[in-house]
Amino acid sequence: AQTVTQSQPEMSVQEAETVTLSCTYDTSESNYYLFWYKQPPSRQMILVIRQEAYKQQNATENRFSVNFQKAAKSFSLEISDSQLGDTAMYFCAHGDSGAGSYQLTFGKGTKLSVIP
Amino acid sequence: NAGVTQTPKFRILKIGQSMTLQCTQDMNHNYMYWYRQDPGMGLKLIYYSVGAGITDKGEVPNGYNVSRSTTEDFPLRLELAAPSQTSVYFCASGGGDRGRRAYEQYFGPGTRLTVT
């Protein structure tokens, strides 16, 4: 079974600074997808960024970028120019095509606080 | 386009009662999922469906049942509610098609359920 580990339960960052959230995963598959989801206090799960394992280029979405190290099975999220609205839980997820179900396995999350 | 909708948003149940959590999506997605999120934890898969009439168990199916009679609806049934089922429940849908968006899941706003 796939596992996803987020080793930082909580983090804080000053507004306008850059922060990196860590994620490692375990899989026996060669082709898979990785995601970061944001969950603000409203509880809504919001897709932040996706990475396809067969692509070597790191994904970027505006202020969000990833550092994907396939051999190390590491998938960290970097948030630049942090804003108060970035305060949320962040979940790393691994996409598994097992039995054609396209399931996601989630980490336990990192609570990010942006400090004014 | 409402995306994924869930009802109710909140519910308090007494031990032994039953209820159905409703989930509807209007994106014509074949794949639908039910997750639960316990405090301080990531999301765990309860059940999923790859199309109308087809359902299968996820990681934590005990105490729950699902059905999928239409593409749009995927209700989750709790029979004989127990305190261990106190959680936030999320419904999600995904295209499940081969390709870059196969694993992307879109989430409903969640239902907070308390069993006392």
Side-chain angles (χ1 to χ4, degrees):
Chain A
Q2 277 70 21
T3 58
V4 177
T5 302
Q6 294 179 249
S7 59
Q8 305 151 316
E10 292 192 40
M11 293 192 72
S12 61
V13 62
Q14 292 290 136
E15 198 174 4
E17 296 293 310
T18 296
V19 65
T20 300
L21 309 183
S22 301
C23 173
T24 58
Y25 60 93
D26 187 22
T27 181
S28 57
E29 299 194 4
S30 59
N31 190 26
Y32 49 88
Y33 289 71
L34 297 162
F35 301 89
W36 280 96
Y37 279 86
K38 171 185 178 181
Q39 187 180 42
S42 67
R43 210 170 61 202
Q44 180 72 49
M45 293 287 287
I46 302 165
L47 177 62
V48 173
I49 198 166
R50 74 179 71 80
Q51 175 76 42
E52 297 147 353
Y54 65 87
K55 286 190 175 180
Q56 292 186 339
Q57 186 174 5
N58 289 326
T60 61
E61 289 285 345
N62 300 314
R63 297 183 296 108
F64 298 88
S65 62
V66 299
N67 184 0
F68 174 49
Q69 303 288 330
K70 190 172 184 178
K73 296 182 180 176
S74 170
F75 181 60
S76 60
L77 174 69
E78 181 178 284
I79 306 174
S80 61
D81 186 26
S82 296
Q83 301 175 0
L84 296 178
D86 295 333
T87 293
M89 285 289 291
Y90 286 83
F91 292 96
C92 178
H94 170 274
D96 175 11
S97 69
S101 63
Y102 300 99
Q103 296 181 27
L104 291 181
T105 300
F106 287 85
K108 293 185 178 181
T110 296
K111 183 177 181 181
L112 177 67
S113 299
V114 180
I115 303 167
Chain B
N1 189 335
V4 180
T5 57
Q6 291 183 238
T7 57
K9 286 187 169 51
F10 304 93
R11 184 73 185 268
I12 298 175
L13 280 183
K14 294 189 183 303
I15 294 171
Q17 288 185 321
S18 300
M19 76 164 294
T20 299
L21 281 65
Q22 301 292 343
C23 175
T24 300
Q25 55 94 7
D26 62 1
M27 296 174 281
N28 202 33
H29 284 161
N30 288 323
Y31 288 67
M32 296 188 74
Y33 310 84
W34 274 106
Y35 295 91
R36 60 177 287 172
Q37 182 182 25
D38 298 328
M41 302 292 287
L43 280 68
K44 292 188 176 181
L45 184 65
I46 305 172
Y47 269 95
Y48 66 93
S49 169
V50 302
I54 306 170
T55 62
D56 207 345
K57 297 177 181 179
E59 182 182 355
V60 289
N62 290 343
Y64 307 94
N65 278 300
V66 294
S67 59
R68 184 95 182 272
S69 57
T70 67
T71 299
E72 295 77 20
D73 301 306
F74 189 42
L76 177 72
R77 177 82 177 163
L78 278 72
E79 304 282 2
L80 299 174
S84 61
Q85 293 178 303
T86 293
S87 190
V88 178
Y89 292 83
F90 288 96
C91 178
S93 73
D97 300 316
R98 294 190 181 279
R100 64 187 299 271
R101 295 190 180 275
Y103 297 92
E104 283 187 21
Q105 294 183 17
Y106 298 86
F107 286 80
T111 295
R112 181 178 294 278
L113 176 68
T114 302
V115 182
T116 62

